[in-house]
């Protein structure tokens, strides 16, 4: 007998639903919310409303594309935490209602655990134990994954996430939200060694990215006239604009290189300390070409086996929620109907 699971993801600004059969993804639907571009970032209230508008058709399409009926489902899974509370509530309430009306078990999934387990979606898969660098708009973590259920966070950001570092740098360059993919695109034609930004050093396996944002701010305010990252504003607004316009690819490539080096130096440290050489990427920032290439090259040099989920499973999606739910289903790890979503649940 096959196990069919419907999974719903609504933690931020993507309304997503997926169906898996015995751990194989049958459908993966994502509705992105472009409204936030107008505001330069995600507006929580607008995100909740857009989830309410999208969720019925997104779930309907996931069921239809999977070629199954609602009555074929064996469980309903949803992202319980972490995320924007209003957004999480929409997905949680929908999943609970469906679970109640179909009389099928409910499975609650932690979003960050699911990002890690996106690496187990069929294809080339790591074996346990493996290390995973999860880099998204809200999180930056190095996780030691012993089994689908057992994960230890070895290090994480103490301030901004890697995705925020990309997005905030892009904003300073006048690029629209989300700027990470745009920095990636401009960086392709740029010289990554043209400008040097200071890397914040933090002890252990933790990260810090907020200093980079300030360094870029001061660098731009000096329009390349000084490479000293001090609060001395030598350039006019016009000069700053002209400097950005004529150097955008090199600035993007240099910013990207700084972020990638900060991430991968810590990942290498984690491999050296644990001796685990099965190494994965996860999260939206792992779509970044510079990160993917440098990660693969580092893996070859260091003798690691490296894994990166395909693009559609890197950014927020419900297939990773379905995959995680499948392992929970096998353990009969079900949630009761009185479970509440949580913006910041401990993992
Ligand atoms: O995992 P994700 O889709 O959502 C969260 O859970 O946060 O990650 C979104 C983040 C955003 O900060 C976005 O700018 C970044 O991933 N991102 C990228 C790229 N694609 C998405 N950053 C750099 N280069 C990219 N190609
Ligand atoms: Zn995410």
């Amino acid at each position: 007998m096959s196990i069919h699971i419907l999974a719903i993801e609504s933690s931020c600004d993507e309304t997503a639903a997926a169906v898996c059969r015995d751990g194989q993804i049958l459908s993966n639907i994502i509705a992105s919310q472009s409204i936030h571009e107008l505001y330069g970032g995600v507006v929580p209230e607008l995100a909740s409303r857009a989830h309410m508008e999208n969720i019925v058709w997104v779930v309907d399409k996931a069921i239809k594309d999977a070629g199954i009926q609602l009555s074929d489902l064996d469980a309903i899974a949803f992202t319980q935490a972490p995320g924007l509370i209003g957004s999480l509530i929409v997905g949680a309430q929908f999943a609970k209602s469906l679970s109640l009306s179909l009389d099928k078990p409910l499975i609650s999934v932690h979003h960050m655990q699911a990002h890690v387990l996106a690496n187990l979606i069929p294809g080339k898969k790591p074996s346990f134990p493996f290390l995973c660098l999860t880099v998204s708009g809200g999180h930056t973590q190095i996780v030691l994954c012993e089994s689908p259920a057992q994960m230890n966070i070895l290090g994480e950001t103490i301030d901004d996430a890697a995705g925020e570092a990309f997005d905030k740098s892009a904003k300073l360059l006048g690029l629209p939200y989300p700027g990470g993919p745009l920095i990636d695109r401009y960086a392709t034609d740029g010289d990554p060694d043209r400008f040097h930004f200071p890397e914040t050093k933090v002890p252990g396996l933790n990260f810090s990215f907020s200093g980079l944002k300030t360094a870029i701010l001061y660098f731009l305010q000096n329009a390349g006239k000084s490479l000293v990252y001090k609060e001395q504003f030598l350039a006019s607004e016009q000069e700053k604009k002209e400097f950005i316009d004529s150097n955008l690819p090199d600035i993007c490539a240099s910013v990207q290189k700084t972020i990638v080096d900060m991430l991968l130096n810590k990942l290498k440290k984690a491999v050296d300390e644990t001796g685990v050489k099965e190494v994965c990427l996860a999260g939206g920032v792992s779509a970044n070409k510079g990160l993917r290439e440098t990660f693969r090259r580092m893996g070859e040099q260091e003798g690691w086996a490296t894994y990166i989920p395909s693009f559609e499973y890197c950014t927020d999606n419900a297939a990773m929620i379905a995959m995680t739910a499948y392992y929970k289903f096998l353990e009969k790890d079900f949630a009761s109907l009185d479970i509440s979503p949580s913006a910041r649940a401990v993992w």
Side-chain angles (χ1 to χ4, degrees):
M1 266 286 280
S2 293
I3 298 163
H4 290 97
I5 299 174
L6 167 72
I8 295 168
E9 152 65 34
S10 68
S11 63
C12 191
D13 60 340
E14 326 274 0
T15 318
V19 173
C20 76
R21 175 189 293 145
D22 300 330
Q24 304 275 334
I25 304 303
L26 298 183
S27 63
N28 183 34
I29 310 300
I30 301 177
S32 299
Q33 304 176 357
S34 55
I35 179 99
H36 307 289
E37 283 166 24
L38 295 173
Y39 300 92
V42 177
V43 183
E45 176 58 26
L46 296 178
S48 316
R49 281 190 220 177
H51 283 307
M52 293 209 291
E53 282 163 17
N54 291 338
I55 196 152
V56 174
W57 73 259
V58 167
V59 168
D60 193 45
K61 186 158 170 48
I63 298 283
K64 287 199 174 110
D65 284 11
I68 63 161
Q69 312 281 326
L70 274 178
S71 54
D72 294 325
L73 291 173
D74 296 288
I76 318 294
F78 70 103
T79 304
Q80 186 254 337
L84 301 172
I85 193 65
S87 294
L88 288 166
I89 286 172
V90 178
Q93 288 308 113
F94 197 91
K96 285 186 195 184
S97 311
L98 214 49
S99 156
L100 190 63
S101 61
L102 297 173
D103 195 21
K104 297 292 174 186
L106 184 68
I107 300 177
S108 80
V109 172
H110 193 289
H111 183 85
M112 298 311 295
Q113 182 186 4
H115 267 304
V116 174
L117 296 187
N119 281 285
L120 299 185
I121 291 175
K124 186 186 159 218
K125 286 191 250 182
S127 46
F128 295 102
F130 64 82
L131 283 171
C132 184
L133 171 67
T134 311
V135 273
S136 73
H139 293 84
T140 303
Q141 296 180 331
I142 297 178
V143 174
L144 176 62
C145 184
E146 311 263 11
S147 73
Q150 202 189 341
M151 299 191 191
N152 295 321
I153 300 169
L154 304 183
E156 59 191 331
T157 183
I158 57 170
D159 42 51
D160 289 351
E164 272 178 292
F166 272 106
D167 295 339
K168 287 178 178 174
S169 305
K171 196 170 184 178
L172 292 171
L173 292 166
L175 299 173
Y177 177 87
L182 294 170
I183 293 209
D184 191 0
R185 201 178 311 153
Y186 286 111
T188 314
D189 304 319
D191 173 4
D193 296 314
R194 167 97 185 276
F195 303 111
H196 294 277
F197 298 106
E199 289 181 24
T200 311
K201 301 271 184 258
V202 214
L205 294 172
N206 286 337
F207 302 90
S208 167
F209 290 102
S210 63
L212 176 64
K213 182 187 57 191
T214 314
I216 294 169
L217 176 71
Y218 292 169
F219 168 77
L220 295 175
Q221 280 168 334
N222 288 314
K225 288 182 178 180
S226 162
L227 287 178
V228 181
Y229 298 98
K230 278 203 245 151
E231 204 168 347
Q232 41 166 203
F233 308 132
L234 305 175
S236 65
E237 273 305 304
Q238 183 59 24
E239 284 174 310
K240 182 179 146 188
K241 193 178 170 317
E242 283 167 11
F243 176 72
I244 293 174
D245 286 347
S246 49
N247 295 286
L248 191 57
D250 287 350
I251 301 173
C252 288
S254 304
V255 168
Q256 180 168 295
K257 179 177 188 290
T258 310
I259 297 173
V260 168
D261 285 353
M262 284 164 82
L263 290 169
L264 293 184
N265 288 342
K266 284 291 164 102
L267 187 59
K268 182 175 176 313
K269 192 170 156 65
V271 174
D272 292 345
E273 285 180 8
T274 59
V276 173
K277 293 194 168 197
E278 293 280 306
V279 194
C280 304
L281 290 185
V285 180
S286 54
N288 182 268
K289 285 196 285 298
L291 178 61
R292 294 168 88 93
E293 279 161 25
T294 320
F295 171 67
R296 287 219 169 91
R297 217 176 315 124
M298 185 176 264
E300 277 166 23
Q301 280 163 4
E302 301 289 327
W304 308 345
T306 55
Y307 307 86
I308 312 176
S310 67
F311 181 78
E312 61 188 321
Y313 304 136
C314 284
T315 46
D316 283 351
N317 67 88
M320 66 184 192
I321 307 299
M323 202 62 216
T324 310
Y326 172 65
Y327 288 104
K328 290 191 134 191
F329 187 97
L330 296 179
E331 298 294 320
K332 299 208 175 352
D333 184 356
F334 301 131
S336 75
L337 279 172
D338 60 6
I339 190 169
S340 301
S342 161
R344 295 188 175 275
V346 194
W347 178 13

